């Protein structure tokens, strides 16, 4: 079999979600709609928080950071996937493929840790509201956000450095809709043991550690909620936490299914389905789950609209 070093490979062909021609056009419009909702929702949330002084709190700074991560992650994946629905062969050059994987990995890991930070923020707000502004000061938020992005860049760099050392000698067709780690390793004729150990190690840390943080935070949150005397206060607290838990379950469940098992055990067909949730669906749902159901956000949105109408009249 002819050996193709990664310095020689000109590009890859992305297989996409399905090869059924009857599904290509409907899927194109569905995912185009999802992508537009994702970009408008997340960018709208960032702009709203930026121009609404009442939302300049750590909670909403974290929401804006999550929206930025979701918008970037969706932009890294979805446009190239849409091309696959309207072209016979969706070719992606080798450097672009590696760059796509790098940024996808950075933003995916960043989202894992950002969700954990947001759970801790909710724990502080509900368990000790009087010290919330001290515990979650602007400086603390900056350090947390820096740590989140730092973990994403560290994981992406480590994976990419060892990925480019892999020798490609099989067909250049990637059985996925984007350049992910395990589909790329399927094309290797050199040993991928280090890559798989690295993937399992980083995945275990980047999924299990935030999951434990989130679980611990919500255990303490539930204990604090049960101490609330008023039924209205309990309902408000549970409704806020319930939406967060739903998004966390979808995101961590799909990522764990994809990455917390060896590539020899995992099914790429099932992996595609699970990856659709955390790369495309979750970024679309997060603005709705975390923000659009929030009373403060609705009030800020109405005030911003009133300001815009006043400026237009003047």
């Amino acid at each position: 079999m002819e050996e193709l070093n990664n310095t020689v490979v000109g590009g890859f062909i992305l297989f996409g979600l399905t090869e059924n021609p009857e599904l290509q056009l409907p899927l194109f419009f569905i995912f185009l709609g999802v992508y537009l909702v994702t970009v408008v929702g997340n960018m709208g949330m960032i702009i709203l928080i930026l121009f609404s002084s009442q939302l300049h709190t750590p909670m909403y700074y974290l929401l804006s950071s999550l929206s930025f991560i979701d918008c970037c992650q969706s932009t890294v994946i979805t446009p190239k996937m849409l091309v696959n629905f309207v072209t016979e062969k969706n070719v992606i050059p080798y450097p672009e493929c590696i760059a796509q994987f790098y940024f996808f990995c950075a933003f995916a890991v960043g989202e894992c840790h950002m969700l954990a930070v947001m759970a801790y923020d909710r724990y502080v707000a509900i368990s000790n509201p009087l010290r919330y502004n001290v515990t979650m000061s602007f400086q603390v938020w900056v350090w947390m956000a820096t740590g989140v992005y730092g973990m994403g860049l560290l994981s992406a760099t480590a994976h990419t450095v060892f990925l480019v050392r892999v020798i490609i000698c099989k067909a250049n067709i990637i059985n996925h809709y984007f350049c992910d780690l395990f589909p790329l390793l399927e094309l290797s004729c050199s040993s991928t043991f280090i890559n798989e150990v690295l993937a399992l190690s980083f995945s275990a840390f980047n999924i299990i550690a935030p999951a434990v943080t989130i679980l611990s935070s919500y255990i303490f949150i539930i204990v604090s909620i049960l101490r609330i005397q008023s039924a209205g206060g309990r309902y408000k607290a549970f409704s806020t936490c319930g939406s967060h838990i739903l998004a966390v379950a979808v995101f961590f469940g799909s990522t764990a299914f994809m990455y917390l098992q060896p590539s020899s055990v995992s099914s790429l067909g099932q992996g595609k389905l699970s990856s659709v949730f955390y790369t495309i669906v979750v970024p679309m749902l997060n603005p709705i789950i975390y923000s659009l159901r929030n009373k403060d956000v609705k009030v800020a949105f109405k005030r911003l609209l009133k300001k815009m109408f006043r400026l237009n009249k003047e």
Side-chain angles (χ1 to χ4, degrees), residues 70 73 104-105 107-113 115 176-178 180-182 199-200 202-211 214 247-262 266-267 270-280 282-283:
D70 284 334
Q73 180 172 308
F104 154 71
C105 183
F107 290 123
V109 172
E111 176 141 359
C112 288
H113 293 280
L115 290 172
H176 215 316
Y177 60 89
F178 71 100
D180 201 1
L181 180 62
F182 289 139
L200 286 173
F202 271 95
S203 297
F205 176 76
N206 291 320
I207 294 176
I208 294 177
I214 293 170
V248 166
V250 173
F251 181 80
F252 279 97
S254 56
T255 52
F257 178 84
M258 182 66 183
Y259 296 106
L260 289 183
Q261 55 181 326
S266 63
S267 167
Q270 294 174 331
K272 287 183 190 180
L273 182 61
S274 64
S275 61
V276 165
F277 282 95
Y278 66 83
T279 61
I280 299 173
V282 170

Side-chain angles (χ1 to χ4, degrees), residues 27-38:
L27 287 176
F28 171 80
F29 286 109
I30 289 173
F31 284 106
L32 176 62
V34 169
Y35 178 63
L36 292 177
V37 171
T38 300

Side-chain angles (χ1 to χ4, degrees), residues 40-68 118 138 141 286-287 290-292 294 296-304 307:
V40 172
N42 285 291
M43 291 304 299
M45 191 54 52
I46 294 173
I47 293 172
L48 180 62
I49 294 172
L50 180 64
F51 289 99
S52 301
S53 58
Q54 65 269 33
L55 299 182
H56 291 176
T57 63
M59 172 183 173
Y60 294 105
Y61 289 146
L62 293 174
L63 282 174
S64 64
S65 296
L66 181 68
S67 293
F68 173 75
M118 291 175 67
F138 180 77
W141 170 78
N286 277 342
Y290 290 112
S291 307
L292 297 182
N294 187 294
D296 294 334
V297 171
K298 290 181 180 179
V299 172
F301 182 67
K302 291 178 181 178
R303 288 181 180 177
L304 187 61
K307 289 181 182 178

Side-chain angles (χ1 to χ4, degrees), residues 99-154:
Q100 185 188 53
F101 168 72
Y102 179 87
F103 287 108
F104 154 71
C105 183
F107 290 123
V109 172
E111 176 141 359
C112 288
H113 293 280
M114 185 60 70
L115 290 172
V117 170
M118 291 175 67
Y120 175 75
D121 172 79
R122 292 297 82 209
Y123 157 70
V124 175
I126 294 176
S127 299
N128 200 350
L130 297 178
R131 292 187 56 83
Y132 176 74
N133 291 329
V134 176
T135 307
M136 293 296 297
S137 63
F138 180 77
Q139 291 79 7
V140 173
W141 170 78
V142 170
W143 278 108
M144 285 183 169
T146 302
V148 166
Y149 291 116
M151 284 303 304
L153 294 174
L154 176 64

